[in-house]
Amino acid sequence: MGLNVEGIRKDFPILQRKLAGKPVVYFDNACQSLRPVQVIEKINEYYKDFPACGERSMHKLGKKVDEGVDKARKSLQAFFNAKRTEEIIFTKNATEAINIVAHALDLSKGDVVLTTDKEHNSNLIPWQLLKEKGVKHEVVEFNNLDALNDKLTKNVKIVSMVHTSNMDGTSIDAKEMIKAVHDNGSLFMLDACQSAPHKTVDVRKLDVDFMACSGHKMLGPSGIGLLYGKQDALSKLKPFVVGGSTVSESTYSSCDLEKPPHLFEAGLQNYAGIMGFGAAADYLKKTGLDNVSAHELRLNRKITDAVGDSVELLGPKNPELRGSIFSFNVPGLETHNVAVMLDEAANVMVRSGAHCCHSWFNAHKMLGSVRASLYLYNTEEECDVFIKELQKIVKLLS
Amino acid sequence: MICIIALAVFSILAVFSASYRPLAAEAFDCVFRKATFRKCRTNLDQRLKSQITGKLLTKSPGLARFVYKRFEILSWIFVILFIASLAYTVYGGYNYALYGNCYGPEDNGGFCIYNALEGEQFSKIHAELEGETVLPTADDDPAMGPDDAKVEMIEFGCYMCPFSREAQEVVKQVLEKYGDRIKFVYRDFPIEQSGHSDLHMASNCANEQGKFWEIHDLLFTEQEVCAQTTGEEREKQVQDIAEQAGLDMAEFNACMKSEKYEDEIDKDFQDGLKAGVYGTPTFFINGRTIIGPKPLRAFEKIIDEELEKAENGS
Ligand SMILES: Cc1ncc(COP(=O)(O)O)c(C=O)c1O
């Protein structure tokens, strides 16, 4: 069953609008996706109908909040096929989720952490800075099992890898990598920011220990993310942001710590964000991620066929290996200039620059790329607009 | 070098709108860095270049290409034009302060937006000149100075116009300075809006008794009082002025009643219209115009030139 794109588009208010007299062609979905009314209404519902505290208030409004949060947690548990709702921890974004693991895992001198060479800064810097504790961070080639095996030693405590690169859209064979890591007795963390919005990420099938993703890349509100932790993996974490909500009891000199997920959700939460995130997961589940990725692939193929050869493509030519991302350089033009021109000419909104993957671009002596990233509401007509304007830029200016 | 223009434009806009302030700051940073031979940090120049090119891409791809490829040269041209026009503006301002018009001493009546305006310093009528301009003559209107003076200055003035009153001071200075070398004629141009031709009538009646200039001066000094009165009160006011001017009141009242100068006033007005007068005061100095109460030096400039011309010619 294909996607009813026309119907989907009606759910997104911004797509009904025009900017400077032209419709918006939003191709910056890898940064943040647009939001459907279902999510917007969910957020509003909290603020309008029960804008109160969760977890501690016995009154009717407080109960409503708890119900809403529980429902969202269940939606996300189902979305990622987690075994328990307690394994779903809400964070403010994926970066926070990764930082929680990096700092709560209590790594010490001599321990080794591995990441790939294509990490977003959010899955690089938290590990890199552990060197102050004497923890060694090493890089292995993206999606190269042999390279990984070469680096897997006894000292490797955790391997954290990006599932799908936000830079070029390529993905790792997560299952294979995770198995190798587990065989080595190490933990595995998956940065699913760019995969979760587009394809099924089944944490149980993959058998990840930790997984991070952000709500705002998958139709959810800004400022909400998620850390999935397998129950026994979570038990290895020592919380470091503590206070309200993380204890059940305290005296002047002692406290009883809560269990996950509350142990990692200190202070009052972004309830509207959490509920909106739940609604987003429901929306995607209902739409069917297989439909979403098939649709994106069709669009990406169209773009690749039309302009793939006239630009310097990042990653493999085959769009199947790049999913929803078409990342490129126009010879002789700065990436930001291309992005500004596309925006000015036809409201085509793309991302340009290093996409928070400076390390990779620096290693490859490149400044960055222009990235068009697609999602379920994008259309062939929008691709035509993008292709037309890009062809003009290539033909006239490069 | 587009940043220089951006800096100037955004700085001006920033005065009015806070949203332009970051852009102005960015442009400043850019100019500063460029001035010290570094790359513009925020790439403002690149962004502007891309924005302009992007806009043009949909409209005229050829032009977009041209602009993109030659952006640096084009922005230099704009910077030079910008600085040149800035310099001209300053020069114009300097001239205006010094000579009362933005062309400077060489002004030969060309179009100059600052010539007549300092705000709109004249009372305007909504007349449009049809047909050819006919320069006014002294006609039989009240005049001062010898008939064979080398310079003839005709004023179209209105007794209810505050600008005419203001100009009165300068006219006095002009007449004092040039004495016998200038003939000054005053013609009536009661501006439509005021509809106060009674004052002009009074001055014509005074002229009968050889007391035109006396009442002329009084009408201007008493302008505000006149403006505040209407009907009978106003009539009384005019009579007071006539009395002050030392007129024979019986004769004056009879004259006023007869309204016999209505045609005369209308003729002045029509002559003014034919000459293209659209506001008061308008001066014709040997046919060259000054509109509004200009400083003395503006009059001096024209009169001196005319005097010189006459001397050289004879
Ligand atoms: C692969 C990847 N990891 C991590 C992040 C950071 O996500 P967040 O903004 O939710 O912290 C991003 C966001 O761009 C990403 O693309």
Side-chain angles (χ1 to χ4, degrees), chain A residues 30 93-95 120 122 162 164 166 191 193-194 214 216-217:
Chain A
N93 48 33
T95 306
H120 186 282
S122 295
V162 65
T164 298
N166 64 311
D191 173 356
C193 283
Q194 299 296 342
S214 29
H216 50 250
K217 295 189 204 303

Side-chain angles (χ1 to χ4, degrees), chain B residues 5-264:
Chain B
I5 301 182
L7 174 61
V9 173
F10 291 142
S11 305
I12 294 165
L13 290 173
V15 174
F16 301 103
S17 161
S19 59
Y20 287 102
R21 273 166 221 163
L23 277 172
E26 208 180 316
F28 176 77
D29 184 65
C30 222
V31 170
F32 181 71
R33 289 182 71 86
K34 287 247 166 163
T36 48
F37 299 106
R38 284 174 297 172
K39 204 168 172 325
C40 171
R41 186 164 35 200
T42 58
N43 274 324
L44 178 67
D45 49 349
Q46 290 294 320
R47 215 165 64 224
L48 291 170
K49 169 175 161 180
S50 311
Q51 276 179 348
I52 296 167
T53 312
K55 281 246 187 306
L56 290 173
L57 266 181
T58 44
K59 302 201 170 72
S60 163
L63 188 60
R65 182 189 159 85
F66 179 81
V67 169
Y68 191 85
K69 297 279 179 194
R70 292 176 185 73
F71 193 75
E72 199 62 7
I73 293 176
L74 287 175
S75 32
W76 269 110
I77 293 174
F78 272 107
V79 169
I80 291 164
L81 286 178
F82 177 76
I83 292 173
S85 65
L86 207 68
Y88 261 101
T89 310
V90 172
Y91 179 64
Y94 168 80
N95 278 335
Y96 185 69
L98 218 59
Y99 305 107
N101 82 82
C102 61
Y103 279 119
E106 301 310 316
D107 176 28
N108 37 21
F111 173 76
C112 173
I113 185 164
Y114 292 112
N115 238 346
L117 312 173
E118 202 177 299
E120 278 194 341
Q121 291 218 333
F122 54 89
S123 300
K124 214 171 172 175
I125 59 158
H126 298 285
E128 266 177 37
L129 180 60
E130 281 173 14
E132 251 176 89
T133 324
V134 182
L135 280 180
T137 62
D139 207 13
D140 55 352
D141 284 290
M144 242 193 227
D147 279 342
D148 61 352
K150 296 281 184 284
V151 175
E152 181 185 63
M153 175 162 96
I154 303 168
E155 176 184 354
F156 282 85
C158 169
Y159 289 119
M160 283 316 289
C161 156
F163 303 113
S164 295
R165 189 188 63 191
E166 206 182 317
Q168 189 59 12
E169 281 307 301
V170 187
V171 169
K172 284 218 174 102
Q173 289 168 20
V174 168
L175 296 181
E176 207 161 279
K177 175 163 180 182
Y178 292 96
D180 272 354
R181 291 178 293 167
I182 191 167
K183 177 185 176 189
F184 174 59
V185 182
Y186 183 85
R187 301 193 60 173
D188 296 308
F189 200 83
I191 49 169
E192 278 174 342
Q193 300 100 308
S194 61
H196 297 304
S197 55
D198 58 332
L199 303 183
H200 292 266
M201 203 92 83
S203 70
N204 277 285
C205 287
N207 195 27
E208 248 180 33
Q209 302 184 33
K211 294 234 152 84
F212 175 82
W213 298 106
E214 285 82 348
I215 202 165
H216 174 80
D217 289 356
L218 280 167
L219 283 170
F220 276 125
T221 43
E222 299 293 310
Q223 185 181 75
E224 268 172 53
V225 192
C226 290
Q228 284 158 11
T229 52
T230 49
E232 264 174 44
E233 219 184 320
R234 164 78 163 246
E235 242 167 69
K236 172 91 188 20
Q237 186 64 44
V238 173
Q239 278 181 341
D240 275 1
I241 292 172
E243 224 167 339
Q244 271 184 62
L247 294 182
D248 177 327
M249 287 313 287
E251 215 176 296
F252 176 77
N253 286 340
C255 172
M256 286 298 276
K257 210 162 180 191
S258 73
E259 297 188 344
K260 61 182 172 187
Y261 287 108
E262 212 164 285
D263 289 349
E264 159 64 28

